[in-house]
Structures are given as C-alpha cells and as structure tokens.
C-alpha cells in the first residue's frame, strides 16, 4: 500500500498559509529549460509502454449525435445500436454533429486559456484545500502530497447542481455557463440513448440517478510543451469516477485509451467531442459498459488544453446495477454500495508515486 509522504516536495514552501506551487506552465516558460526536474520523471514511461494508432479495421467508434436525436425511428434505432456497440467494445467514442456551436467551443478554450494566463499569484487564490471544493486550481494531481509530479496544471469547477467559476478573467463565467448549458443537453440525450441501448426505459438513468441534482464537474487541463515528453506524464492511467465524460480539446493530441491490451492514440477530429464511460456507468450496467482506462501524454511542441465535462449522479445517490441486467452469471459483481460523493472522495484520496497508475481503485 502507498504510504503518504509528509515531506513537502522541494518546490513547495510549507509553513506559509498557502502552499506556493510552481505550475507546469511557469516551469515550461522558465528560460533555458532543456530537461525536466527529477521529481517529474516517471518510472512507468509512456516510451516503455508506447501507444499505437488505431487499426483501420478496429478504430475508435464515431457516433453521429444528429441521428441519435433524430425523429426518424430507423435512424434513431441505428444510432442506439451503434452507441451500445461503442460503449461495450471500446468504452469511448468520438461524437460528431453534437450541436455545440463551433464558435462557442473555441470561446470556451480561449477563456480557459485566459485563466491559465493569469499571474501565478492570481491563480493560487483558487487553490482548493479539499478534493470536493467547488473551485480548485492546482498542478500535478495533489501537489502537496504527490511524490512524482505530473506535467499538467488544472482548474476544476463544480458546475451543477450549482454553478461555480472563478470571477476572473472577466467573461470566463459567462462563457463557461453557456458551454455547460450546451454540453448538458448533449449528456442528457446520450444518457437517454444509453439507457435504451441497455434495454431500459429511456428515462431510466435520469430517474434512478436523480439527474436533476446530478453532480457535474467541468475541468480544464493545461499541458505545456515539455522538453522530455518521454519521461514526463500528463495524466497516468486512470478511469473516470462519474457516469460519462465529454471531453473537448484543442487540436493537439495526447489522449490515449486502453483497448485490446494496447494503448491507442485518440487523434483529435476537428470539432468532435470525445465521450468515455465512467465507473458509475460500469456499476449501473452491471459491467456491460466498462469504464475505460485512459491517460494523457505530453509533447515538446505545443500547449495542449483538454476540457472534460464529467457528469455523475447526484452526490447522495448510491448507484446499483439495474435489476434487469442482473442475472445469475453477473450477479451484482460490480456493486460497491457507496454514495457518489464518498466514491469520488475515495477515488481522489490517492497519492501519486513513481510507478503509479491511478487505476488501482477502479471499483
Ligand atoms: C481527465 C482526463 C484526459 C486528457 O481529466 O480525467 O482523462 O486528455 N483527461 O486531458
Ligand atoms: Ni480521465
């Protein structure tokens, strides 16, 4: 088992009211940086476990959202069938024709980039203390305890049932509220299709998971250029804790998903969203729709921004497998009987260590 290191890493000044954190962005921008500090080097190297491009005959599924929301029953049932296959075989798919306007996607990326461009002092005002704080800016995973650092800065906001956002830079809150409104519509329709694809009532997930109070988190990950991308890690292997994650990114690749025993690169498709199953979907589907392991690699050329929107059930929901999906063979194998809030806290309570992946606690 991991032990928690109580010694502050060298670049953190303990004893001050707020820990002084050097962001990955500040580090990347410091002059003459030709190698990474030793506390950023992983032993589970992406170079030792390289990713491949998808095979032509087995590539990441593409779902056309306009067919899923179509009033033509044939088109819709074909889309529901495709959705079932994507969730079962891959646990991840690209979503096209999702209806989120291109200009709004771009504005969201730009506004979040604006947040990371604030001064270190301004950003540090939003350092959360606790994993469930509604606004949390930071670097790595949990910089105060991580034994090895991720080449990544992040901002996480709870955007539902109550919307939270840093008050600066000006305009950020309006842009994010608008984006969340759009992506919430997409999530709702996808969860309807997913319910149906499991042979359940279209409103099954919405009702049983108390989705009117669902806990939704919008995050932004910033991965600056890294002088030794083969040694550093953006995000190690993990699964997401919620039901579904809907990720938007700029045109710089880095996301990789685990499929068929290999790491497969998710090459960005312009304007498409990337959707993946989370742990709560795995539980409710009784293991039929597994939450997919994924990780983010870094590069030495350009800054990558990814913006995952994670929707879960309500904080107090204890997700259980749908009765209709439980038979002798599966027999509630994925039941964990924990409220969603407790599960999130439990899942985020880990400490990164050199050989770490974050997947040990996947259910
Ligand atoms: C995450 C995540 C992937 C990426 O934030 O949970 O998996 O590409 N991000 O940044
Ligand atoms: Ni993730």
């Amino acid at each position: 088992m991991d032990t928690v290191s109580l010694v502050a890493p060298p670049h953190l000044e303990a004893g001050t009211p707020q820990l002084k954190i050097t962001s990955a962005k500040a580090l990347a921008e410091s002059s003459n940086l030709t190698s990474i500090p030793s506390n950023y080097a992983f032993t589970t190297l992406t170079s030792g476990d390289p990713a491949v491009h998808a095979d032509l005959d087995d590539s990441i599924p593409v779902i056309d959202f306009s067919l899923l929301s179509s009033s033509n029953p044939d088109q819709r049932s074909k889309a529901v069938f495709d959705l079932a296959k994507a969730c079962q075989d891959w646990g991840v798919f690209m979503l096209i024709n999702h209806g989120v306007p291109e200009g709004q996607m771009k504005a969201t990326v730009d506004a979040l980039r604006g947040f990371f461009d604030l001064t270190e002092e301004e950003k540090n005002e939003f350092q959360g203390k606790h994993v469930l704080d509604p606004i949390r800016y930071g670097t790595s995973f949990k910089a105060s305890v991580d034994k090895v650092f991720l080449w990544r800065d992040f901002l996480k906001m709870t955007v539902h049932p109550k919307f939270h956002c840093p008050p600066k830079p000006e305009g950020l809150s309006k842009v994010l509220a608008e984006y969340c409104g759009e992506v919430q519509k997409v999530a709702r329709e996808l969860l309807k299709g997913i319910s149906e694809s499991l042979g359940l009532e279209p409103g099954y997930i919405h009702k049983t998971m108390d989705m009117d109070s669902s806990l939704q988190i919008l995050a932004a990950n910033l991965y600056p250029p890294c002088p030794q991308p083969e040694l550093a890690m953006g995000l190690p292997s993990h699964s997401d804790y919620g039901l579904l994650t809907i990720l938007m990114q700029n045109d710089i690749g880095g996301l990789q998903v685990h499929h068929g025993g290999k790491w497969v690169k998710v090459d960005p498709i312009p304007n498409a969203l990337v959707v993946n199953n989370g742990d709560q979907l795995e539980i409710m589907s009784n293991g039929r729709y597994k939450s997919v392991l994924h990780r983010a690699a870094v590069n030495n050329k350009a800054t990558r921004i990814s913006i995952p929107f994670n929707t879960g059930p309500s904080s107090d929901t204890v997700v259980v497998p749908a009765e209709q999906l439980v038979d002798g063979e599966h027999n509630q194998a994925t039941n964990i009987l924990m409220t969603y809030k407790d599960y999130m806290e439990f899942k985020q309570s880990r400490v990164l260590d050199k050989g770490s992946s974050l997947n040990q606690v996947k259910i």
Side-chain angles (χ1 to χ4, degrees), residues 94-320:
M94 311 296 288
L95 190 69
I96 57 166
N97 298 325
H98 44 65
V100 184
E102 198 182 320
Q104 199 172 44
M105 290 172 71
K106 190 175 175 308
T108 303
V109 173
D110 290 348
L112 283 162
R113 197 186 283 273
F115 175 84
F116 291 108
D117 285 340
L118 295 174
T119 64
E120 296 296 300
E121 202 180 1
E122 282 175 304
K123 286 183 285 190
N124 283 338
E125 282 171 38
F126 304 105
Q127 265 179 52
K129 305 274 173 305
H130 186 266
V131 290
L132 296 178
D133 283 348
I135 299 179
R136 214 154 58 82
Y137 163 72
T139 190
S140 186
F141 180 62
K142 267 189 302 176
S144 56
V145 290
D146 290 341
K147 293 183 199 164
V148 60
F149 280 73
L150 302 176
W151 198 263
R152 163 233 196 195
D153 299 333
F154 67 88
L155 173 67
K156 289 191 179 190
M157 296 149 282
T158 300
V159 293
H160 194 270
K162 195 164 175 281
F163 178 81
H164 298 268
C165 177
K168 53 185 157 180
E170 217 197 311
L172 177 68
S173 173
K174 183 166 179 283
V175 171
L176 294 193
E178 280 169 8
Y179 178 69
C180 287
E182 291 293 334
V183 82
Q184 275 155 358
K185 282 193 271 180
V186 173
R188 193 173 172 141
E189 200 63 44
L190 285 175
L191 291 173
K192 227 164 93 184
I194 286 176
S195 298
E196 276 183 79
S197 78
L198 289 164
L200 306 166
E201 285 288 301
Y204 180 90
I205 292 180
H206 195 90
K207 255 187 264 149
T208 55
M209 312 254 166
D210 189 16
M211 293 304 281
D212 287 334
S213 305
S214 78
L215 184 55
Q216 298 172 354
I217 304 211
L218 185 75
N221 296 305
L222 185 94
Y223 306 102
C226 174
Q228 292 177 296
E230 69 290 351
L231 296 182
M233 191 67 98
L235 259 181
S237 170
H238 68 282
S239 62
D240 292 345
Y241 40 69
L243 281 166
L244 273 190
T245 302
I246 303 178
L247 179 130
M248 168 165 68
Q249 56 189 329
N250 64 351
D251 54 0
I252 310 295
L255 177 62
Q256 302 174 354
V257 296
H258 204 244
H259 175 75
K262 289 188 206 139
W263 284 105
V264 179
K265 294 183 186 183
V266 181
D267 296 318
I269 298 180
N271 300 319
L273 297 167
V274 185
V275 182
N276 69 266
N277 300 350
D279 296 345
Q280 302 298 320
L281 187 59
E282 177 166 335
I283 300 170
M284 87 57 64
S285 69
N286 204 27
R288 236 193 257 192
Y289 293 172
K290 296 252 180 322
S291 65
V292 64
L293 291 177
H294 53 285
R295 66 184 187 186
V298 292
N299 75 84
N300 57 10
K301 296 194 176 62
T303 295
R304 172 163 187 259
I305 292 192
S306 72
I307 303 166
F309 167 86
N310 181 311
T311 182
S314 73
S315 308
D316 296 326
T317 300
V318 176
V319 175
V320 295

Side-chain angles (χ1 to χ4, degrees), residues 37-56:
S38 59
N39 55 336
Y40 283 82
F42 267 71
T43 50
T44 48
L45 306 176
T46 42
S47 57
D49 184 10
V52 296
H53 286 281
D55 297 336
L56 278 178

